[in-house]
Amino acid sequence: MSDFWLGDDQRAARELTRQLARDHLQPLAADVDETESYPGAQLEILARHGLAGLWIPEEYGGSELGVLAFCLAVEEIARACASTAVIFLVQFAAGHPLVAAGTEPQKRRYLPRLASGEITTAFSLSETAAGSDAAKIATTAVRRGDRYVLNGSKMWVTNGSRASVLTLFATVDRSRGRHGLTAFLSKQPATFVGR
């Protein structure tokens, strides 16, 4: 397959990731799967080489190479260790709402730490009755003063046991379907009480 459409920076990121994955992730992949262990050391290696911040703007410590460079990195990581790739991918899924719609103080507080690999994020969308269909989410968010009270039940909170920051989706207006959803950012540990 030709990669003439890739920029030099994207090619370099892909090649770096390929080398790191081959040398450091692949030898540990079977053990990660067999022991069901968290690939923390592998994530540290990727972050140390600047890969945790591929999608994060430069002003917040990332390299701002964009989603394509990030996807190329995920592909190389998955080729070596699917478990590490899933956790690496969650960093984007849970962190990108912060890039897209976070407040400036939130971005300054969290993005440099995500870019450096100091902290990780968790992603919470799925629910028992809705699966991952965002339009059917039943978890509600009701404003009480300067805060929101969330009420509902989530499942498959990817990276939830390790993350410092949680991105959780809830509806502020059920009548609007998916347009009534909001992503909430919570510093872990947070207390969530189900229905």
Side-chain angles (χ1 to χ4, degrees):
M1 176 188 219
S2 175
D3 64 356
F4 67 90
W5 43 273
L6 294 178
D8 290 340
D9 289 342
Q10 293 166 330
R11 281 190 191 96
R14 182 182 63 186
E15 291 307 314
L16 173 62
T17 308
R18 182 177 289 162
Q19 178 188 349
L20 293 171
R22 182 182 59 238
D23 296 347
H24 300 284
L25 308 184
Q26 192 169 16
L28 302 173
D31 186 62
V32 168
D33 289 343
E34 289 171 12
T35 62
E36 298 181 12
S37 58
Y38 186 80
Q42 293 86 325
L43 295 172
E44 287 177 20
I45 290 167
L46 297 170
R48 196 168 47 244
H49 287 87
L51 298 174
L54 287 172
W55 51 274
I56 296 175
E58 287 181 3
E59 64 189 291
Y60 303 108
S63 61
E64 198 168 3
L65 290 182
V67 175
L68 177 57
F70 178 78
C71 289
L72 292 167
V74 169
E75 183 177 62
E76 295 300 328
I77 294 165
R79 187 179 315 208
C81 180
S83 297
T84 302
V86 168
I87 301 301
F88 187 77
L89 183 59
V90 168
Q91 294 303 96
F92 174 79
H96 193 266
L98 181 57
V99 172
T103 65
E104 190 58 32
Q106 289 171 331
K107 290 177 182 182
R108 283 194 310 269
R109 181 176 183 180
Y110 296 111
L111 290 178
R113 295 167 66 203
L114 287 171
S116 71
E118 176 189 341
I119 63 171
T120 58
T121 58
F123 184 77
S124 184
L125 173 70
S126 300
E127 297 180 2
T128 304
S132 295
D133 183 351
K136 293 182 180 176
I137 285 179
T139 297
T140 59
V142 177
R143 190 172 190 98
R144 296 276 197 272
D146 64 346
R147 298 186 180 260
Y148 281 86
V149 175
L150 280 70
N151 186 9
S153 179
K154 296 290 186 178
M155 57 192 253
W156 304 319
V157 180
T158 308
N159 208 30
S161 65
R162 299 288 183 137
S164 302
V165 179
L166 171 70
T167 301
L168 183 141
F169 293 82
T171 184
V172 293
D173 185 349
R174 293 210 57 174
S175 69
R176 296 186 64 216
R178 65 183 173 85
H179 298 290
L181 290 180
T182 298
F184 290 88
L185 184 67
S186 173
K187 181 180 169 196
Q188 293 284 67
T191 303
F192 294 98
V193 179
R195 293 179 213 199

